[in-house]
Amino acid sequence: MRVFEGMRVEMAELLGLPGVEVVAAEREADGSLRVYARTAEGAVCCPGCGAEACRMKELVTQELRHLVVAPMRVILRKERWWCDRGLCPQRSFTVGPLAVRGGTVTTSAKETMGHLIGDWMAPANRVAGAVGVSWHTGHGGFVAVAEAAGIVVTDADADAVGDAVTCADTDADAVGGDAAVPGGAEDGAAEDACTVTDSPDTGMPGADSAEDGVAAGRSVSGPLPSVRVLGVDDHRRGRPRYHRDLVTGGWVEDADRWTSVFVDSTGGHGLLGQTEGRTVADVVGWLVACDEAWRGWITHVTLDMSSVYKSAIRQALPHAALAVGPFHISQLANKTVADVRRRVTFEHHGRRGRADDLEYKIKGMLVRGAEKLTPAARQKLLCALADLGNGGCEIRAAWQAKELLRDVLKLSPARTGRATCRSEVSAALTRFFAYCATTGAAVPEVVTLAETISKWRDEIATAVLHGLSNAASEGINRLIKLVYRIAFGMTNVGNQLRRARYVASRKTRPLWLQSVTVNRELPVAA
């Protein structure tokens, strides 16, 4: 424990604790600071009558959560020492624990900025502007925090920009502010401060953009934990990036508009890695680059109904079983019902549906689960379909096919709480296909649905039998897109992938994401 002698009230003001005196402080195991304080001396009045109190009854202890993010300037006086060893070329040196030699920002400040950007998802421009430094310094703090967490860009060229920010400790940061963003630009411009230079004529990246590290195939990775169920999904990261080849005169793609993500679907480790593109070669390349022993631990892979990812997994992980998430199956079934309803409306009215159309009034009930409909709502739905005539019969056929397909998904152990037999899944699928081949055969959308489900029959059965879902991948994708929106878009692929990987794996680093604690009895200080 370290006790602060004197300046107790001033220290409390510095920590954002007015009205108290700091008695002592100690460092916790998780890196947080525990401060012991007491009320400052002075007159105390009763809140009931307003009279001044003269006698203290007892001392009570109250534990509070507190946060301090206070930008300040530190004037550090350092000793310069002589080296008395005659053969040493150093001759003299200074000792300063707060910052590197010649630096203008403390090491602790850069680490705090890195956590604010990474753990709290604050825009780098806002954080740097609040501290009074350049964008490069704030982002450099995040790069250091990410590297300490084992998150690095695997392509050496991709981190050229990130490594360049280490020069932010020079005197260039003394002027601080938004030097990287002239005129106080928006956060989006700030996030692109380290991106490639754009051609003034076309808005495309210049000819030297490939040398700046914006090259396709880059990925972010780090120490990968053992994974049993791997999730694969994709999202659109923005518009593609190109540069003109000076020799051929053609455009060369630097950054793909799509990104493939790899997620731990059941272990809770979050985002494992990313790679640009969503082709077979992109996915296979990332998986093959991983350790062979790590790939051998994978038993199942969850994905949506993408034939590209299916082919890639078959090549890179031939021993793993594929499983299609139930969300995508339900989504496809609801889309089939909506397509039939819209077609019936157009055939009957020659236009799109309107609020006063009978089939439009029941569109919400058509995509709702049959077990969630009240008896009155079910009666209203069936009566409306009967009043629509032949069109209503087609809509009802699609709705019934959807419910039969949902019956297959209901057999998942995650819903039933018990193990599911393969014969049960097979029987439920058979009922669905038999209905589509008889009653639903006259509805083209139902036939298309049955054909699609038939192509993915084995993958659907695997997901239902083992209770697997692609929900983790969808959740990570949502979080990654949130990072992009907060930054107002990032065109530098290396910075983008690094930021997404860090944010999507924050649960493994709870130091800056403290969980809520309940009130408990505390000992009373003597």
Side-chain angles (χ1 to χ4, degrees), residues 10-71:
E10 289 80 0
M11 183 62 67
E13 293 287 345
L14 182 63
L15 295 177
L17 300 171
V20 301
E21 297 178 1
V22 174
V23 178
E26 62 182 4
R27 183 71 63 178
E28 296 290 335
D30 59 359
S32 61
L33 190 66
R34 180 182 291 267
V35 177
Y36 295 88
R38 68 182 181 187
T39 54
E41 296 181 358
V44 180
C45 298
C46 176
C49 63
E52 183 177 351
C54 300
R55 295 181 303 125
M56 183 182 66
K57 178 181 179 181
E58 61 180 348
L59 291 175
V60 294
T61 302
Q62 181 180 8
E63 183 173 347
L64 305 171
R65 290 284 182 173
H66 185 58
L67 174 67
V68 179
V69 181

Side-chain angles (χ1 to χ4, degrees), residues 376-511:
R378 186 180 181 88
Q379 183 67 21
K380 177 182 177 181
L381 174 63
L382 297 178
C383 291
L385 293 177
D387 294 339
L388 289 173
N390 294 333
C393 293
E394 294 185 1
I395 297 176
R396 179 169 181 172
W399 177 71
Q400 189 64 36
K402 184 257 296 187
E403 291 301 324
L404 289 173
L405 187 56
R406 291 184 66 250
D407 289 341
V408 179
L409 304 180
K410 293 177 185 177
L411 297 175
S412 173
R415 298 190 180 188
T416 61
R418 61 175 180 83
T420 303
C421 299
R422 185 173 294 274
S423 59
E424 295 180 90
V425 179
S426 179
L429 284 172
T430 300
R431 288 193 295 270
F432 165 76
F433 288 122
Y435 182 84
C436 294
T438 54
T439 306
V443 184
E445 291 83 357
V446 174
V447 175
T448 302
L449 173 65
E451 293 175 350
T452 303
I453 298 301
S454 179
K455 292 179 181 178
W456 296 89
R457 179 169 185 164
D458 295 337
E459 291 76 13
I460 295 173
T462 301
V464 174
L465 286 172
H466 297 276
L468 299 178
S469 171
N470 206 29
S473 301
E474 298 295 337
I476 293 296
N477 261 340
R478 183 201 62 82
L479 189 59
I480 292 175
K481 294 174 183 177
L482 178 61
V483 174
Y484 296 169
R485 294 188 185 102
I486 291 175
F488 286 80
M490 293 181 286
T491 57
N492 185 281
V493 182
N495 295 341
Q496 186 178 30
L497 299 183
R498 184 191 293 107
R499 183 82 62 84
R501 171 76 194 280
Y502 186 91
V503 172
S505 56
R506 292 178 301 163
K507 288 185 178 180
T508 61
R509 297 177 298 277
L511 298 184

Side-chain angles (χ1 to χ4, degrees), residues 329-342 367 402 445:
I329 303 172
S330 298
Q331 184 185 44
L332 180 61
N334 287 331
K335 181 180 178 299
T336 300
V337 177
D339 290 341
V340 176
R341 178 184 57 79
R342 282 190 289 265
V367 296
K402 184 257 296 187
E445 291 83 357

